[in-house]
Amino acid sequence: MSLARVITAVTATLLAVVAAASPASATTAPDTWPQGESLSTLEWLGLFVGGTLLLVVVITGLAAAVNAKVHHHVVVPGPPSGTAIEATEHMPLPAPAEKSEH
């Protein structure tokens, strides 16, 4: 099974669980239950920023894992044989001109 199919199946399952649980979370707690303290602004920022950073790290890791499995084209250095560049590399250099003394 390919990685794309696994990711699709996991995503569909998570969305189905969230969709099924949303009606249950819509009700409010009874008044007889103790009410907990609300989160501070710093805690809310930690949740949202930390959650976002965690999501970015997970997605980057998955992308790197997929990229590691891909067969990349490797470029061999140098020109292909029989080109004009290769032919000029083997030509002798002209002899240096001799200086004449006056």
Side-chain angles (χ1 to χ4, degrees):
M1 186 177 237
S2 72
L3 183 62
R5 288 185 182 187
V6 170
I7 292 173
T8 303
V10 169
T11 304
T13 304
L14 289 175
L15 286 176
V17 168
V18 169
S22 59
S25 65
T27 61
T28 59
D31 293 334
T32 56
W33 287 7
Q35 300 295 322
E37 295 180 19
S38 64
L39 297 176
S40 68
T41 305
L42 185 61
E43 290 171 329
W44 277 111
L45 284 174
L47 284 174
F48 285 114
V49 173
T52 304
L53 289 176
L54 179 66
L55 186 62
V56 167
V57 168
V58 168
I59 291 173
T60 304
L62 287 173
V66 170
N67 189 32
K69 292 185 79 168
V70 174
H71 300 289
H72 295 286
H73 175 71
V74 178
V75 177
V76 179
S81 60
T83 61
I85 295 172
E86 185 176 308
T88 59
E89 287 179 354
H90 300 292
M91 295 176 64
L93 294 174
E98 294 184 24
K99 292 183 181 179
S100 63
E101 295 185 27
H102 290 63

